[in-house]
Amino acid sequence: MSQPISVIILGATGSVGRTAADVLSELGPDKARVDGLVAHRQVDALWALGRKLGARWVGVTDPEAGRRLFDREGGGRPAVLVGWEAIVAQGIGEAPPGTKVVGAITGFAGLWPTLRALERGLDVLLANKETLVAAGELVTATARRSGSRLVPVDSEHSALLQCLGLAQPFRRLILTCSGGPFRGWSRKALERVTPAMALAHPNWRMGPKITVDSATLMNKGLEVIEAHWLFGVPYDQIAVVIHPQSIVHSMVEFVDGAVMAQLGWPDMRLPVQVALSWPERWPLEGPSLDLVGRQLTFEAVDEGTFPALSLARQAGEAGGLYPAALNAANEEAVAAFLDGRLGFLAMEGVVRAVLDRPWPTGPVETLEQVVAVDAEARAVARAAMARWEAGTPPVG
Ligand code: MG
């Protein structure tokens, strides 16, 4: 029997983080040991999980919440680390060599710790697609320099990884997309979408940000950029097809025209475990996929009704810091929508307003470049939203 793997989960109390914790607890300590768990503010859930999984440390990124937990439980085991600096220095920095870091934080906040883990030479199992959208060039270059691997956890990219297997020459990657809760809706009907409606995804249970992204199809746009960086593929070789049943998780068309797909129930436990075990496969309990009597359908994306996908493609093709600006604009827009401050269709208006600005298209070599554009794009997005609140209509 091989040595157990050591694992850190960033974003342990979120949707993917909890799934990863379940998978690790199912695998047991002979197969996987939890070194550390990181959460933003949910300290009670974090502490319970840390105790249950026998973690060496738990880290809280919000200083106030972290101090509360430290006052209550500090000095015991798991050790309590407060704030990113301590988490990176004593958590990620002192993890056993070969530790795998599950990046399950949502949004731009995941970028810095992902870079630090890669710099230390640790493999990152990445569910945090915003990190690759905002800084794909920097993140992949950092991994190459230290020899660490970036392994996808996103279900589509996990499917692509599984189909590609022994790196075979391919023609196209075909990402599947459920179409979200509003597939087939008109623009007129979309005007009245509320946060509660957008948060009811037909196939997947996920956190609020990605669920809203799935409803606008921005999620698929972010995933196209993610695939570009993970697999080093030009944008014109990444296709998207609507597949409402979410059974085919993505496909690869090889140079001889053969197409391989990965199928399964929509359940994040599989992509999480594949990322942990890759290139091996480990047993995972669950119902077998029964295709008898089941219809699997495919249709084109309605890009006129859901322009977010093409906005993301445009940003990706423009390159440089355009994807970072796109990501920042989208994060601001989604937060405002969830807050009830912005309409559903106005989210794409925010992204357009930001992409209308010129952004640098040269090489992206430092975190500072990305952070500066992220901040500037958020300011442009907020200014646009403030103007609309003052009466300028957000969508034409
Ligand atoms: Mg996905």
Side-chain angles (χ1 to χ4, degrees):
M1 178 128 184
S2 52
Q3 284 278 93
I5 58 169
S6 163
V7 181
I8 291 170
I9 306 177
L10 308 179
T13 55
S15 174
V16 171
R18 282 172 192 273
T19 302
D22 286 348
V23 167
L24 291 168
S25 140
E26 203 59 41
L27 286 169
D30 292 342
K31 207 89 176 142
R33 303 228 167 114
V34 174
D35 186 62
L37 301 170
V38 175
H40 182 47
R41 253 196 306 252
Q42 294 186 50
V43 292
D44 294 335
L46 177 70
W47 182 252
L49 211 52
R51 298 280 298 179
K52 179 184 164 200
L53 295 173
R56 179 172 70 88
W57 56 276
V58 296
V60 185
T61 62
D62 179 75
E64 201 180 304
R67 272 193 298 274
R68 242 181 10 250
L69 183 65
F70 188 86
D71 287 345
R72 206 175 73 201
E73 311 284 1
R77 192 182 162 97
V80 177
L81 306 179
V82 181
W84 271 124
E85 298 287 341
I87 290 166
V88 165
Q90 297 158 55
I92 296 172
E94 290 172 18
T99 294
K100 294 174 191 284
V101 179
V102 179
I105 288 173
T106 300
F108 188 74
L111 175 58
W112 187 68
T114 299
L115 283 172
R116 292 289 101 94
L118 290 171
E119 279 165 4
R120 231 217 87 180
L122 305 182
D123 289 349
V124 173
L125 320 185
L126 198 69
N128 172 215
K129 68 192 77 182
E130 291 89 347
T131 277
L132 274 180
V133 173
E137 186 177 347
L138 180 64
V139 169
T140 51
T142 306
R144 265 196 309 277
R145 260 202 310 277
S146 69
S148 48
R149 292 190 310 170
L150 272 171
V151 186
V153 171
D154 210 347
S155 61
E156 293 80 357
H157 306 75
S158 172
L160 296 172
L161 175 74
Q162 294 175 63
C163 292
L164 285 165
L166 307 161
Q168 308 269 16
F170 61 89
R171 217 182 258 163
R172 279 197 310 161
L173 304 179
I174 306 163
L175 296 171
T176 54
C177 172
S178 73
F182 310 126
R183 183 175 56 91
W185 285 38
S186 67
R187 297 281 293 177
K188 188 107 200 90
L190 289 177
E191 278 172 14
R192 284 184 294 277
V193 166
T194 62
M197 289 157 79
L199 288 174
H201 194 277
N203 302 344
W204 293 97
R205 304 233 135 280
M206 306 175 289
K209 200 265 176 177
I210 184 174
T211 307
V212 173
D213 284 343
S214 299
T216 58
L217 302 202
M218 180 56 88
N219 183 54
K220 210 50 54 177
L222 302 180
E223 289 183 351
V224 166
I225 300 174
E226 185 185 11
H228 166 81
W229 288 113
L230 278 172
F231 300 104
V233 198
Y235 285 99
D236 61 3
Q237 284 170 249
I238 307 171
V240 175
V241 63
I242 299 285
H243 168 52
Q245 296 83 16
S246 297
I247 296 291
V248 176
H249 296 306
S250 280
M251 302 176 257
V252 177
E253 180 184 331
F254 293 94
V255 284
D256 55 4
V259 175
M260 302 266 296
Q262 187 254 319
L263 281 69
W265 298 120
D267 178 349
M268 284 306 291
R269 290 185 315 145
L270 179 71
V272 166
Q273 182 165 303
V274 165
L276 287 167
S277 70
W278 193 256
E280 289 175 36
R281 277 191 189 275
W282 296 341
L284 179 66
E285 293 296 318
S288 289
L289 178 65
D290 184 4
L291 289 173
V292 174
R294 189 169 283 277
Q295 300 260 2
L296 301 182
T297 60
F298 302 89
E299 57 196 70
V301 180
D302 179 355
E303 302 212 17
T305 308
F306 298 96
L309 174 57
S310 50
L311 288 173
R313 261 188 197 283
Q314 283 162 31
E317 276 162 4
L321 287 152
Y322 272 88
L326 167 96
N327 179 66
N330 184 57
E331 286 190 20
E332 290 295 317
V334 171
F337 169 71
L338 285 170
D339 244 23
R341 288 183 281 119
L342 191 71
F344 184 80
L345 289 180
M347 285 189 277
E348 70 197 44
V350 174
V351 173
R352 273 208 182 90
V354 169
L355 291 183
D356 277 348
R357 293 293 186 96
W359 300 100
T361 52
V364 184
E365 284 160 347
T366 68
L367 180 61
E368 289 68 31
Q369 285 175 280
V370 184
V371 169
V373 162
D374 176 81
E376 196 183 334
R378 283 173 202 273
V380 174
R382 283 195 287 260
M385 289 189 273
R387 275 201 310 280
W388 298 337
E389 276 162 23
T392 315
V395 279

